[in-house]
Amino acid sequence: MKNSRPTLGVALTLDALERVEGLRDFVFDRDRDLEIQDLVPVGALVEGRWTYTVERAGPLLDGHKGRVGIHGPFEGLFIDTPDPEVRAIVQARLDAALSAAIGLDRGRGLGHIVIHSPYTTWHWYNRGTHYDDTAAILERTHRCLGPAVKRAEDHGLTFVIENCEDKDPAERVALAASFNSPAVRVSLDTGHAHYAHGSTGAPPVDVFVHAAGAALAHVHLQDADGVADRHWQIGKGSIHWHAVFTQLAKLPEMPRLIVELAQIRDIFASAAYLSAAGLAD
């Protein structure tokens, strides 16, 4: 959607959608973008178990017209892994995640899959030394993601690379651009960026938005204290939200804004906070 006053999306599990009072109405009344997180736990994607999530989602999402994506797997699954045997496992999990995303997208070509950045603070502090791994990270990531990116292109889906420890926001943007594919773009997690700003000297969250520019397709909105990855209710931490949304409003197109909180019931107060501030609904 074009910039004006964006509509918030929600990261949730199907259990939450089914059981949390008021959540279904909150989602369906505005056809909010969704990010299904049932496929994150270890084991959720092995032996075709993803089919259960897709089948269960069918009736729960009946009538919902918003975009539906997923958070892809990440526990122990590094997209720049150097071990070819481990790479095969990562690729199998990504392929299963894609299959689930295709099913949840229902053939519309609107889904996203969140994957985690390969860049760490160790990497950043060792740039320019004999431990500098910058070129190899790029090469290994292409080797790992190549088949999944091609399949995502075929189905109109998009991998969005989310910052975790990233200290230099430009690296992830350049990595996404290096695929030269509409199926690879950039994600920003506001709490991760705020942690990196407060604890490792990274720039503030709004600079991460500016650095991503038009490549930014997806944002995880969460509040934090700049010390750790909190996923607090928005307004409870120390992120400068007006600065963040000022930068978002400068983008040629508003990325999908997915509120991702530790306590799903905090979605209502978070939405109310951003609405009262005139930033989003």
Side-chain angles (χ1 to χ4, degrees):
M1 60 179 293
K2 290 295 182 183
N3 293 324
S4 54
R5 187 150 151 161
T7 299
L8 300 170
V10 189
L12 47 68
T13 63
L14 295 179
D15 274 349
L17 183 62
E18 195 169 32
R19 298 175 185 177
V20 173
E21 183 177 0
L23 185 57
R24 182 180 176 84
D25 289 342
F26 179 80
V27 168
F28 275 71
D29 284 353
R30 296 186 67 118
D31 283 320
R32 298 179 187 272
D33 291 333
L34 294 179
E35 182 174 300
I36 306 301
Q37 300 207 318
D38 295 63
L39 300 164
V40 170
V42 174
L45 290 167
V46 301
E47 299 174 352
R49 294 179 192 174
W50 58 267
T51 59
Y52 169 76
T53 298
V54 174
E55 291 167 0
R56 184 183 178 195
L60 289 176
L61 298 180
D62 185 38
H64 174 256
K65 298 180 179 62
R67 297 172 291 190
V68 180
I70 67 168
H71 198 307
F74 61 88
E75 293 284 357
L77 302 173
F78 303 106
I79 62 173
D80 69 326
T81 180
D83 189 315
E85 293 185 28
V86 176
R87 184 183 306 123
I89 295 172
V90 176
Q91 289 176 325
R93 298 293 184 268
L94 289 172
D95 193 59
L98 262 171
S99 294
I102 291 166
L104 291 165
D105 179 63
R106 295 166 289 172
R108 298 184 299 163
L110 299 174
H112 73 272
I113 306 105
V114 177
I115 54 177
H116 280 185
S117 170
Y119 297 111
T120 66
T121 51
W122 188 95
H123 154 74
W124 192 90
Y125 282 108
N126 281 281
R127 292 191 304 186
T129 74
H130 67 286
Y131 288 112
D132 193 330
D133 201 29
T134 302
I137 289 172
L138 185 74
E139 188 275 332
R140 293 195 305 264
T141 302
H142 272 263
R143 187 177 298 181
C144 184
L145 288 183
V149 169
K150 177 62 172 65
R151 189 178 177 207
E153 288 174 349
D154 292 343
H155 291 274
L157 303 186
T158 306
F159 282 105
V160 290
I161 306 176
E162 176 185 25
N163 59 304
C164 291
E165 295 183 45
D166 303 59
K167 185 170 178 178
D168 179 357
E171 284 190 309
R172 196 174 73 271
V173 179
L175 174 63
S178 72
F179 282 87
N180 193 30
S181 169
V184 186
R185 295 184 70 191
V186 174
S187 170
L188 167 66
D189 186 296
T190 58
H192 296 175
H194 196 47
Y195 144 74
H197 173 57
S199 295
T200 74
V205 182
D206 58 296
V207 176
F208 275 75
V209 177
H210 177 73
L216 186 61
H218 171 276
V219 180
H220 275 153
L221 297 172
Q222 55 139 320
D223 218 333
D225 56 2
V227 176
D229 184 21
R230 301 297 195 179
H231 291 268
W232 283 340
Q233 174 183 316
I234 294 173
K236 294 296 187 181
S238 53
I239 292 176
H240 297 283
W241 290 108
H242 282 276
V244 172
F245 276 84
T246 295
Q247 287 300 322
L248 287 170
K250 295 177 181 178
L251 301 179
E253 186 172 358
M254 184 64 70
R256 62 190 77 187
L257 304 180
I258 305 293
V259 182
E260 186 189 42
L261 305 176
Q263 303 297 326
I264 187 62
R265 289 173 177 81
D266 289 342
I267 183 66
F268 306 113
S270 295
Y273 176 91
L274 291 173
S275 180
L279 300 176
D281 293 312

